[in-house]
Amino acid sequence: MAQPKGTVVLAYSGGLDTSCILVWLKEQGYDVIAYLANIGQKEDFEAARKKALALGAKKVYIEDISKEFVEEFIWPAVQANALYEDRYLLGTALARPCIARKLVEITQREGAQYVAHGATGKGNDQVRFELTCYALCPNIKVVAPWRLPEFYQRFPGRRELMDYAKKHGIPVPVTPQTPWSMDENLMHISYEAGILENPKVIDHGQRGSHRAEGVSCICSLIGNFTAGRVPVKVTNAGDGATRCSALELFVYLNDIAGKHGVGRIDIVENRFVGMKSRGIYETPAGTILYHAHLDIEAFTMDREVRKIKQGLALKFSELVYNGFWHSPECEFLRQCIGRSQEAVVGTVRLSVFKGQVYVLGRESPRSLYNEELVSMNVQGDYEPADATGFININSLRSAGSRRDPSRGGEKAPS
């Protein structure tokens, strides 16, 4: 019997890894408190509680943090138009600091000495969990089994974990025939590992809420944004159904967009730890809101401000992906991006159909669009003759770069 080591709070999902880790931690002499975060995944939480207790957890916390996940993590990403490597809407990256924040809170509440997680030693999540823990509680001690030789040498792969689970009577949803890993939250569902590690293998399964081809009828939606904040209302133009609260609105968009096959991507991305990985993501509501917000922002934001903000969004996305949500620079960026949103208010009308989002129109009391000024039928407060000087001045740099001083200022041959 191992010597008692104290109490550890385990970020527990009920899946293969954390179920085995719970039992393994007890073998090492830890008293284990299991913490399961409800961030919108389809889960039988009561069954998960009973399972953790049956495996030896001395206490189980199940915390519903869905509302704060949307309002405090997803909304800032929507405001930023956050997109990692041009495609990934950061579903897992946004969830981890939200989960870890509550993990630290429970650890402090319980007077525990340690936190533990089931993130692998090759992935991004170990960084995201631990950077959050250290930022919020610098003296905390982290147990990361997948980085401990005594653990990963004993369990070099999932087959060994499944053998261990069988030996200890641990029920798990993973079988050798379907050994991919799935992670679900309100923002997205992700799939990786197993057969998906071969990047040329075609994944035909559209799981989650997605339909393979999308439904055959167009669904029209009206999204409302309020100044300096985020989406406040979505209305189905077909049946008039309206959702207003953050959580209710997001869940509704997930359902609508998922039925139409919106927001599913298959990508190879660059992990922070230095390797490429293949992931499949379903991000229904996030995809709709990305397009809606991008449109209303372009309609209401000054051109030069928007250029700067786009640069901030790239940095913000990188920081979030790499786990630096609670860093000083990421907090600074969130403040800057939030400040840029004060005029981003209005309504976007769009439709979803067979995997696509189509913006159909927009209006805003803070619009910078001048219909008379841009009209081809009305001159308005614009003098076309002024464009001649504008063009001449702007041509100087290009023309000058092609002159050859050694030829007396003559134009250099092409």
Side-chain angles (χ1 to χ4, degrees):
M1 186 70 181
Q3 290 294 317
K5 290 188 171 68
T7 299
V8 59
V9 180
L10 171 65
Y12 178 75
S13 69
L16 174 65
D17 289 27
T18 55
S19 294
C20 291
I21 285 171
L22 194 161
V23 175
W24 183 84
L25 286 169
K26 285 186 59 62
E27 285 182 348
Q28 309 311 303
Y30 292 99
D31 289 327
V32 182
I33 295 173
Y35 153 56
L36 177 57
N38 176 359
I39 48 175
Q41 69 272 38
K42 296 177 179 65
E43 180 86 50
D44 185 338
F45 292 101
E46 192 52 40
R49 180 194 302 277
K50 291 177 181 177
K51 178 179 177 180
L53 292 171
L55 294 178
K58 74 172 187 178
K59 187 181 290 188
V60 179
Y61 281 89
I62 297 177
E63 299 284 327
D64 187 345
I65 55 175
S66 301
K67 184 173 182 290
E68 59 197 80
F69 179 42
V70 175
E71 294 179 346
E72 299 177 38
F73 293 85
I74 294 177
W75 277 177
V78 171
Q79 287 185 325
N81 302 321
L83 202 61
Y84 180 71
E85 295 189 335
D86 304 315
R87 297 181 69 189
Y88 175 42
L89 286 164
L90 299 167
T92 302
L94 291 166
R96 294 311 184 229
C98 182
I99 294 170
R101 185 174 70 177
K102 183 64 69 172
L103 179 68
V104 170
E105 180 185 312
I106 292 170
T107 302
Q108 294 174 327
R109 190 187 313 167
E110 288 288 334
Q113 300 92 330
Y114 305 91
V115 295
H117 59 76
T120 73
K122 290 184 177 181
N124 297 306
D125 284 342
Q126 58 179 337
V127 182
R128 296 163 180 162
F129 274 124
E130 293 179 39
L131 287 181
T132 296
C133 289
Y134 290 132
L136 300 180
C137 185
N139 297 321
I140 206 163
K141 296 176 182 179
V142 177
V143 180
W146 281 114
R147 295 206 306 270
L148 300 174
E150 60 268 31
F151 186 87
Y152 64 72
Q153 290 174 3
R154 182 177 177 183
F155 306 109
R158 287 182 174 264
R159 187 171 296 278
E160 288 77 14
L161 273 182
M162 285 185 273
D163 290 342
Y164 181 81
K166 183 177 180 180
K167 177 182 176 181
H168 289 83
I170 303 170
V172 293
V174 178
T175 68
Q177 289 73 40
T178 56
W180 55 68
S181 173
M182 185 185 90
D183 180 69
E184 180 183 10
N185 61 52
L186 274 170
M187 185 65 165
H188 83 176
I189 304 175
S190 67
Y191 307 93
E192 62 181 3
I195 60 171
L196 303 179
E197 288 176 351
N198 183 342
K200 70 181 181 182
V201 168
I202 299 173
D203 176 53
H204 294 286
Q206 295 210 17
R207 309 173 190 89
S209 61
H210 278 60
R211 297 186 181 178
E213 300 299 331
V215 295
S216 59
C217 61
I218 295 175
C219 178
S220 295
L221 300 167
I222 303 169
N224 295 83
F225 289 80
T226 189
R229 289 175 58 198
V230 283
V232 291
K233 183 170 72 172
V234 62
T235 302
N236 189 320
D239 60 16
T242 297
R243 303 291 188 276
C244 295
S245 74
L247 184 56
E248 187 182 36
L249 179 157
F250 204 82
V251 169
Y252 181 69
L253 286 180
N254 265 335
D255 179 56
I256 293 292
K259 288 177 179 176
H260 287 263
V262 168
R264 188 175 187 276
I265 60 172
D266 184 331
I267 66 172
V268 173
E269 68 199 62
N270 289 294
R271 287 181 180 171
F272 187 31
V273 295
M275 63 187 76
K276 291 184 183 291
S277 66
R278 192 256 190 109
I280 295 168
Y281 303 107
E282 296 177 3
T283 316
T287 301
I288 283 184
L289 290 174
Y290 174 83
H291 288 287
H293 181 266
L294 196 64
D295 188 80
I296 199 68
E297 185 176 84
F299 193 50
T300 57
M301 187 176 284
D302 174 78
R303 180 184 71 179
E304 298 305 314
V305 172
R306 188 160 183 263
K307 286 180 183 178
I308 294 171
K309 194 261 183 178
Q310 286 174 310
L312 297 180
L314 284 174
K315 186 62 179 178
F316 173 82
S317 302
E318 177 187 296
L319 289 172
V320 173
Y321 184 87
N322 292 344
F324 289 93
W325 181 272
H326 290 288
S327 66
E329 64 270 30
C330 195
E331 292 177 359
F332 172 73
L333 280 180
R334 291 201 297 277
Q335 290 290 326
C336 292
I337 290 168
R339 171 69 173 78
S340 77
Q341 299 298 292
E342 291 181 0
V344 181
V345 55
T347 300
V348 180
R349 187 179 293 269
L350 45 81
S351 67
V352 292
F353 179 61
K354 291 195 173 184
Q356 300 298 317
V357 179
Y358 301 96
V359 174
L360 307 176
R362 77 288 297 158
E363 59 181 322
S364 170
R366 301 291 298 273
S367 165
L368 298 182
Y369 179 86
N370 185 325
E371 187 173 353
E372 182 181 89
L373 182 63
V374 79
S375 175
M376 301 294 287
N377 299 314
V378 181
Q379 184 167 315
D381 295 328
Y382 182 80
E383 183 55 59
D386 291 343
T388 301
F390 176 80
I391 295 168
N392 288 339
I393 293 297
N394 276 280
S395 73
L396 288 176
R397 181 172 57 88
S398 297
S401 69
R402 295 176 62 83
R403 294 189 181 279
D404 185 354
S406 68
R407 295 168 62 90
E410 297 178 11
K411 190 173 182 180
S414 299

